[in-house]
Amino acid sequence: MYCFLRLSVLLVGLIVSVSSYAANAVQPLTTADDLGPKVEQPIEFPHDRHAGDAAKGGMQINCMYCHTYARRSIVAGIPPLQKCIGCHQNIESVRETPRIKKLFEYWEAKKAVPWKKVHDLPDFVRFNHERHIQRFVFAQNKPVQEACGYCHGDVKTMTVARRQKPLSMGWCVSCHQKDHPVDATSTKTTHGPNDCWQCHK
Amino acid sequence: MSITNLLENWSDFRQQHPSDDRPHREYKWAMSIDLDACTGCNACSVACYAENNLPVVGKEKFLHGHSHHWIRIERYWANDGREFADQGAQFLPMLCQHCESAPCETVCPVGATNHTADGLNSQVYNRCVGSRYCNANCPYKARYFNWYDYPTTDNVWPEPMNQQLNPDVTVRGKGVMEKCTFCVQRLTVAKSNARSEGRSVLDGEVQTACQQVCPTGAISFGNLVDPLAKVGKQWMTQQVDLNKDKQAKDVAEEAAKLRGYRILEELRTYPSVMYLEQLREGSI
Ligand code: SF4
Ligand code: SF4
């Protein structure tokens, strides 16, 4: 009994200290311990060059220019090769670089680039991009890169994208429990859904 | 979810429907099945197999009671000692009744089955530990257990048949309980589409797989909260009230012509499925 008491006191202390630590710590965009495995892509796609800040040599292209389905579908979508070529056939300056040469090889062979999945959720999870983008980008007027970054990290500084967030249930719920304003001007807030069947299938 | 949150909300967690303090705000999915229209063709059952990745277990396992028909056609014979009844069998498609006060929910040791805000009885496969208490407590016997690992060791969907699996529904492994979901994957899509357009799901916008294929249109499905929904109108005309375990019409005499009833209503499960059947002279 005494032993049990001691254990529970210890546990309570632990929980209190952990939760107070969690409440104070500022959540950085990148947390090293949650870094996912390196994914070998067929072409080393430089996200920083495409979406990065102009000051750092980026093109500041909107995430949704290539990942078009994010705003209207469950999946964000990997752009078809056509989309890459659509721009790159007019960009002579990089036409002879190795990555672009490889890109055109796929194009001439009429083959899709076999991109690998970086953010792979278990099969029993249903994640809907549309609902999140509609809420944060279109209702709340958040910048696109910030909204995508909640789950994908600071992609505009990466070359090949890598998972930076744990994408675990507790992590999803930690955001669903917060008060989120329904739109940019309203003071009314709501939580994310907390019912199992919203996300599990 | 933190521990404090869990402890604070413990009473909420096992809160029972129906309750006046927690009305269904936007959706309450419900069904009605017209037994006078049902011909017992089993199309609904087949559609459910296709839609929800149900394994076909084979004769032997079926005889052991290991089948997975989330909607099964029960047959009732009134043959009065003769070999065959005059009018053949009477059919009753039995599926999960999505009880408002579900006996299965209260006994699950891990909370893998619970009630959603839309009035569905949910089953979360990745949470289920396979204790099978829920099945033991279900008066309708509408829950099915995965005794085998059908996708892998039993190889129910050999290449290329695995291509037919519905990606919106988990392929269940060994040791989890499953049951009719009211095709929740379809409901979720319909709700999301409606939400993008800033409205609620319209009546008829979403159909369950079994409803969609029924050749006689015996199955209707919809939102009871929606005053325009066909299901709601049916429930109203038949004087079946979701939140009552004894319907007012039971005492009214002229109500004898009404066909609507819910199965085992007296157990206070408050089911979400209403059946319609004309009482026949012989069966009284
Ligand atoms: S498909 Fe319709 S008619 Fe056929 S068994 Fe099912 S409910 Fe009855
Ligand atoms: S509602 Fe869907 S899951 Fe339920 S019995 Fe019909 S087809 Fe199967």
Side-chain angles (χ1 to χ4, degrees), chain A residues 15 71 74 123-126 128 130-131 134-135 169-170 173-174 177 190 194-198 200-201, chain B residues 1 3 5 114 116-117 120-126 167-170 181 184-185 188 191-192 195-196:
Chain A
I15 289 163
R71 61 178 171 275
I74 288 183
D123 286 351
F124 50 75
V125 178
R126 175 194 294 126
N128 192 332
E130 179 187 0
R131 292 263 63 81
Q134 288 293 342
R135 179 65 175 270
M169 185 170 116
V173 170
S174 71
Q177 280 179 333
T190 54
N194 67 348
D195 152 359
C196 310
W197 257 2
Q198 288 292 337
H200 289 290
K201 59 182 188 184
Chain B
M1 185 183 277
I3 289 189
N5 192 337
N114 34 62
T116 72
L120 297 173
N121 169 246
S122 68
Q123 176 71 24
V124 186
Y125 306 121
N126 53 311
D168 294 336
V169 181
T170 309
T181 60
V184 67
Q185 66 280 10
T188 315
K191 265 165 51 183
S192 175
R195 192 127 181 234
S196 296

Side-chain angles (χ1 to χ4, degrees), chain B residues 82-150:
Chain B
R82 281 161 299 162
E83 191 179 358
F84 296 108
D86 286 346
Q87 54 192 9
Q90 282 173 290
F91 303 105
L92 185 140
M94 174 51 78
L95 67 163
C96 170
Q97 307 283 307
H98 292 267
C99 310
E100 283 290 273
S101 173
C104 54
E105 288 169 15
T106 48
V107 294
C108 179
V110 293
T113 176
N114 34 62
H115 226 71
T116 72
D118 298 351
L120 297 173
N121 169 246
S122 68
Q123 176 71 24
V124 186
Y125 306 121
N126 53 311
R127 184 148 191 160
C128 174
V129 294
S131 71
R132 309 187 335 261
Y133 278 125
C134 55
N135 188 23
N137 222 25
C138 173
Y140 306 98
K141 289 289 158 276
R143 296 180 148 262
Y144 303 93
F145 188 65
N146 283 277
W147 291 95
Y148 302 90
D149 204 331
Y150 294 107

Side-chain angles (χ1 to χ4, degrees), chain A residues 10-29:
Chain A
L10 189 76
L11 269 178
V12 167
L14 203 68
I15 289 163
V16 167
S17 60
V18 166
S19 51
S20 62
Y21 171 73
N24 296 336
V26 185
Q27 288 266 306
L29 263 179

Side-chain angles (χ1 to χ4, degrees), chain B residues 4 19 29 36 42 86 94 96 106 143 150 155 160 196 210 233 242-243 268:
Chain B
T4 37
S19 50
W29 301 110
D36 295 326
N42 267 297
D86 286 346
M94 174 51 78
C96 170
T106 48
R143 296 180 148 262
Y150 294 107
N155 204 17
S196 296
C210 50
K233 285 185 190 154
L242 182 72
N243 290 339
R268 298 216 181 97

Side-chain angles (χ1 to χ4, degrees), chain A residues 118-133:
Chain A
V118 176
H119 294 84
D120 197 7
L121 291 175
D123 286 351
F124 50 75
V125 178
R126 175 194 294 126
F127 176 84
N128 192 332
H129 278 89
E130 179 187 0
R131 292 263 63 81
H132 292 87
I133 297 295

